[in-house]
Each structure stands twice: as structure tokens, then as C-alpha cells.
Amino acid sequence: MNQYIVNGNRPLFGEVTISGAKNAAVAIIPAALMVDGICRIENIPQISDVTLLFSILDELGAKVRVLNQHAVEIDSRHIHSTKPSFDLVRKIRASYYLIGALLGRFGQATVAMPGGCNFGVRPIDQHVKGFKALGAEVTEGNFVEAVAKSENGRLVGAPVYMDVVSVGATMNVMMAAVLAEGITTIENAAKEPHIVDLANFLNSMGADIKGAGTDSIKIRGVERLNGGTYCIIPDQIEAGTYMTAVAATGGQLLIKNIIPKHMECISAKLMEMGVYVEEIDDTLLVRRSGPLQRAKVKTQPYPGFPTDMQPQIATVMALAEGTSMVTEAVWNNRFRYVDELRRLGANIQVDGRVAVIEGIDHFTGAPIEACDLRAGAAMVVAALAAHGTTEISHVQYIERGYEDLVGKLRAVGADIRIVEVPDEDLGMENIG
Ligand code: EPZ
């Protein structure tokens, strides 16, 4: 296991290039299982969640050929199993996309209940409701088993109304519907950039999906998906994390390879807090020289402020003048990292889904833990700004979703390094 050692209180200066979007990649890679041909996928982030998904695809019979650091070719013409092994699937939440992909193409899927970051109840009832509407029989236990009821093993298009706005359910039902007979509509669909990216990927392979990015998506089922080439969008949350890093430390970063529209909700909040943000084509210039102002934020589905930026913005607020407030409206338990921030001196009170943050002058380095992916990123942001040395443990969570975080930060002047520690020293199993 690794730890990060950070000597903080250094402003960041320079350029950072954003990698492909994790939450698009973890859907597009399973979706490649639906393609009866070879697909080439570019701009894939080098993160552990992606590596794990490649192992799952390989086990099912897909041939994954690495072309370079960020591009692969996936050949799914000879899939021999629709039951990925329990141990692999349990390590990653996004393995639920295997259900939609395998059920859609082969009319059956048996997939362990997904694992992933723990920040509250994570039901999949909306996914199941969608599969059932398309004519699948679904049983849930340690495994989710889904089988198309029709004689020819194909799902049948139908209207699906989502009771909650769910990224995962929208993408999963979209995948299942692509090869179904007839038309599926998804109402109250989520609108995140990765939903549009998955739809674009599937369309480029021959699917017929319209309306992705709105709350009403229409999918006309096709007979098969052919091969093709696709390039994944840049990661909104990775870019946002670097924006909060420079907001916390001061300095100036050019954040390259972003889609400006995706960054608006984050840029607007940081500008309100006194951070200078300028959009230059597909680059953001982010500078913080003066004091940070207090603010209020409430997480919401896109285009609202993303829950996956909540720990990072709260960390910046902990250094702002006055009292800030964060309301977490997506997940019911996403403030576990607050105890860790308090170890650095933060003054935060949590009551249910609301955190009240009294700004302090500076953090002071201490040993802390990453308790999930984005919480871990927030710990790095805090450590970069802290006076003294911070040791961050359980960084395997961070490595699930950030490509070369340490290398990218070192290149802009951060004093951060990775040290290896024996597993037993951390007193924790590797949850992945
Ligand atoms: C995705 O999770 C992301 N994960 C999460 O990012 C992100 O926090 C979340 O969307 C919200 O943006 C991936 O893309 C792999 P949801 P997902 O279904 O799809 C409730 C990260 O840090 N709900 O949109 O699992 C649910 O309880 C990760 O990168 C149901 O009630 O989230 C939650 O309150 C962590 N029934 C809300 O909807 C369901 O069937 C939103 O969840 C599904 C969800």
C-alpha cells in the first residue's frame, strides 16, 4: 500500500493536462461488450478502476489490446461468459454497467452486487425497474441475475420513467435498450456529461440514441453494433479538483484539455469565492492571490454543482473568511471526510446533510486518511495548503480515479511523494 507525504503551504504554478473522464470510461468500457466487432477507444484514463474493468472484460472473453498509454482496442466478437467473477466485480461500483451491456446483447447477465465508495445507501432499484420494463426477469441477492423473457432472448423497447435522477440507472437502461426490439424512452433521465459521452460512443458504433443530455432520451433498438473508433471526453471532476487545489494553495494554473461548458458550475462557485477563472478555448486559467470569501453550495445533478466536487469545495471553504455552508443533496452520508479535515484544524459542524464551515487561517499538517475517492482528493487539496507535513494513507481510493495525481502535482511545484508502507501498518484490508 502507498501513502502520500505532502509538505504543504506552497502555491502551485504551471500547467496541468486533464485526462479522460473516469465516469465515462467506466461505462464505455463495459459498453464495448455490446459491440460485435472491434472498437478502438482513445483518451482512456490510466486509473485502477479501468485496469480492473479490463480484467473483467478479458475474463468474459473480450480481447483487450493496449495500443498506447491511453488507447485500447477491444474485440468482443467471442464473448463466452455472461457471469463475471464475484471477486473482481465486487471491487468496483461501475460493474453494474456489465448488467445492462450483457443483458442487452446476450439476453442474460449474472453480476455480483456492486462495491465502490461507501457514502450511504446505494440502491439499484431504478436500474432493475428499467430492465424489467424492457422485459427482463431480475432476481437480486448476492448476485443480480437478469434474463430477457422473450423467446428470442431480446429485450423489448418500452417507456421508462425514473423515480430519481440517477446517472447509473440512466446509462444502464440506455445500454440495455440499444439492442432491444423497438423504441425505449427514458424520462427524468440524468444529464451528466458522461451520459452524453456514452450515447455518443454507442451511436458511433451504430446505435440510435437521441436526446442524451436532456431529461428525455429516446432509443430506437438496432440489430447489432459494429466496430469503430471513439475518444472519451476530459474529466470534469479531475479538472475541478485542480481548480480547488490552486484555490486552496494560491498561485496560478493553466488547466488544459477541458470542455468549458462542463466546468461552469464549478468555475462560478470559485469565482464567487474570489478565485480568478478565465476560459481560453479548451483551457482554464485559474489564479488565487487574495483571500477566499465564504459561500454556500448545494450539490445537485448536472448542471448543478456536482456531488463529486463536494469534499474538495468544502476544503476550500474551510480556508475562507467567515461561515460557509454545504448541503449534500445527492448522497446521504458524504461527510465522513470531515473528521479527517478536523485533524488538520478545520472547524466544521455536520448536521445530517448540511455542513457549517467556519473558515480558519490555515491547516496544520497531520496524519490523515482518504476515506473514499473524492474525499481522498480533498485530503490532498488540504495537505497542499497545510503548514507542515501531512501523511495521507489509504490512497488506493484516490488511485481508482485520478491518473498520476502525484506526478501532475509535482510538475506544478507541489512537494508530494509516494511512500510504500506494509499493509499491516495501516490496519485495514484493501477494499479497492
Ligand atoms: C455516479 O454514481 C457516479 N459513479 C458517482 O461518482 C456520483 O457521485 C454519482 O453518479 C452522482 O453524480 C459513477 O459514475 C461510476 P446515482 P451512481 O445513481 O450512478 C439514488 C465518483 O466519486 N439512487 O446518480 O451510483 C442514490 O442513492 C463516484 O466518481 C436510487 O435511489 O449515482 C443517490 O442518492 C462516486 N436508486 C442518487 O440516486 C437507484 O437505482 C444518485 O445516484 C440509483 C440511485
Side-chain angles (χ1 to χ4, degrees):
M1 270 205 200
N2 291 338
Q3 278 186 352
Y4 295 165
I5 309 291
V6 187
N7 292 310
N9 192 24
R10 287 156 196 263
L12 301 177
F13 284 99
E15 294 180 5
V16 63
T17 301
I18 298 307
S19 299
K22 171 214 167 222
N23 286 343
V26 298
I28 287 173
I29 294 167
L33 285 169
M34 302 180 69
V35 179
D36 189 12
I38 300 176
C39 58
R40 179 189 167 111
I41 310 174
E42 297 169 356
N43 204 29
I44 293 187
Q46 266 202 328
I47 53 176
S48 64
D49 269 11
V50 160
T51 313
L52 201 69
L53 280 168
F54 287 155
S55 306
I56 295 175
L57 260 63
D58 179 69
E59 187 197 46
L60 298 176
K63 290 193 175 51
V64 181
R65 195 158 76 90
V66 177
L67 302 175
N68 61 47
Q69 253 194 325
H70 296 115
V72 294
E73 237 172 40
I74 300 178
D75 178 353
S76 298
R77 284 177 296 181
H78 305 291
I79 301 300
H80 53 63
S81 167
T82 53
K83 188 175 179 182
S85 73
F86 186 83
D87 288 344
L88 287 174
V89 166
R90 289 281 294 175
K91 290 186 180 152
I92 171 173
R93 179 81 188 160
S95 52
Y96 52 40
Y97 294 128
L98 295 164
I99 311 174
L102 292 168
L103 175 66
R105 179 166 172 205
F106 300 104
Q108 55 177 359
T110 307
V111 179
M113 286 296 279
C117 289
N118 174 18
F119 33 72
V121 187
R122 298 190 72 173
I124 59 162
D125 57 297
Q126 298 303 304
H127 305 231
V128 171
K129 173 178 151 168
F131 299 148
K132 285 184 174 168
L134 299 183
E137 210 164 70
V138 185
T139 45
E140 292 175 79
N142 279 342
F143 287 85
V144 178
E145 195 172 354
V147 182
K149 284 187 290 189
S150 71
E151 270 180 20
N152 65 4
R154 267 182 93 182
L155 296 172
V156 181
V160 179
Y161 187 90
M162 296 288 173
D163 300 322
V164 294
V165 178
S166 160
V167 171
T170 301
M171 302 230 258
N172 228 343
V173 175
M174 192 199 290
M175 279 195 239
V178 156
L179 293 171
E181 279 177 327
I183 294 175
T184 299
T185 50
I186 306 175
E187 298 295 339
N188 200 24
K191 296 180 273 201
E192 268 64 6
H194 27 295
I195 288 168
V196 180
D197 210 36
L198 173 66
N200 287 343
F201 166 77
L202 290 165
N203 282 343
S204 72
M205 301 291 143
D208 183 352
I209 303 171
K210 294 197 172 69
T214 75
D215 58 10
S216 177
I217 302 177
K218 183 171 175 181
I219 304 134
R220 195 181 295 271
V222 296
E223 292 283 333
R224 71 186 276 268
L225 298 183
N226 312 297
T229 296
Y230 192 75
C231 182
I232 291 176
I233 52 166
D235 196 310
Q236 175 205 31
I237 305 299
E238 188 196 13
T241 301
Y242 286 104
M243 293 173 81
T244 54
V246 71
T249 61
Q252 176 172 299
L253 285 185
L254 268 180
I255 302 178
K256 301 173 91 170
N257 186 34
I258 53 105
I259 295 178
K261 181 78 193 156
H262 296 168
M263 305 312 304
E264 279 174 1
C265 44
I266 301 165
S267 301
K269 191 51 62 182
L270 286 171
M271 286 160 81
E272 200 183 310
M273 295 181 72
V275 178
Y276 179 81
V277 183
E278 186 185 339
E279 185 189 312
I280 312 158
D281 293 332
D282 63 349
T283 296
L284 285 182
L285 170 71
V286 185
R287 180 168 62 234
R288 203 271 287 172
S289 40
L292 291 161
Q293 310 300 320
R294 67 184 175 165
K296 282 186 185 170
V297 76
K298 181 176 181 182
T299 64
Q300 281 173 341
Y302 190 82
F305 191 90
T307 173
D308 292 345
M309 280 300 300
Q310 183 262 98
Q312 302 91 312
I313 197 81
T315 300
V316 179
M317 287 173 170
L319 295 171
E321 288 176 347
T323 308
S324 296
M325 199 161 90
V326 176
T327 304
E328 173 54 59
V330 176
W331 298 110
N332 59 8
N333 184 19
R334 209 172 189 175
F335 284 123
R336 290 191 311 146
Y337 67 88
V338 163
D339 284 342
E340 303 303 311
L341 271 190
R342 286 198 189 110
R343 287 182 217 279
L344 303 181
N347 183 354
I348 305 178
Q349 304 304 320
V350 176
D351 185 3
R353 285 173 175 247
V354 177
V356 177
I357 305 170
E358 294 294 340
I360 58 167
D361 182 63
H362 63 269
F363 295 128
T364 305
I368 52 174
E369 283 180 13
C371 48
D372 64 56
L373 166 61
R374 306 304 174 188
M379 293 310 108
V380 173
V381 169
L384 292 169
H387 292 196
T389 303
T390 300
E391 291 159 26
I392 308 174
S393 54
H394 299 167
V395 299
Q396 75 275 13
Y397 286 119
I398 302 172
E399 291 166 359
R400 283 187 43 207
Y402 286 86
E403 176 173 326
D404 191 21
L405 180 63
V406 168
K408 289 185 185 185
L409 284 170
R410 286 173 69 91
V412 292
D415 182 347
I416 177 170
R417 66 182 204 279
I418 304 176
V419 294
E420 235 177 88
V421 288
D423 286 8
E424 58 271 24
D425 282 359
L426 296 175
M428 174 194 164
E429 63 183 276
N430 187 349
I431 309 172

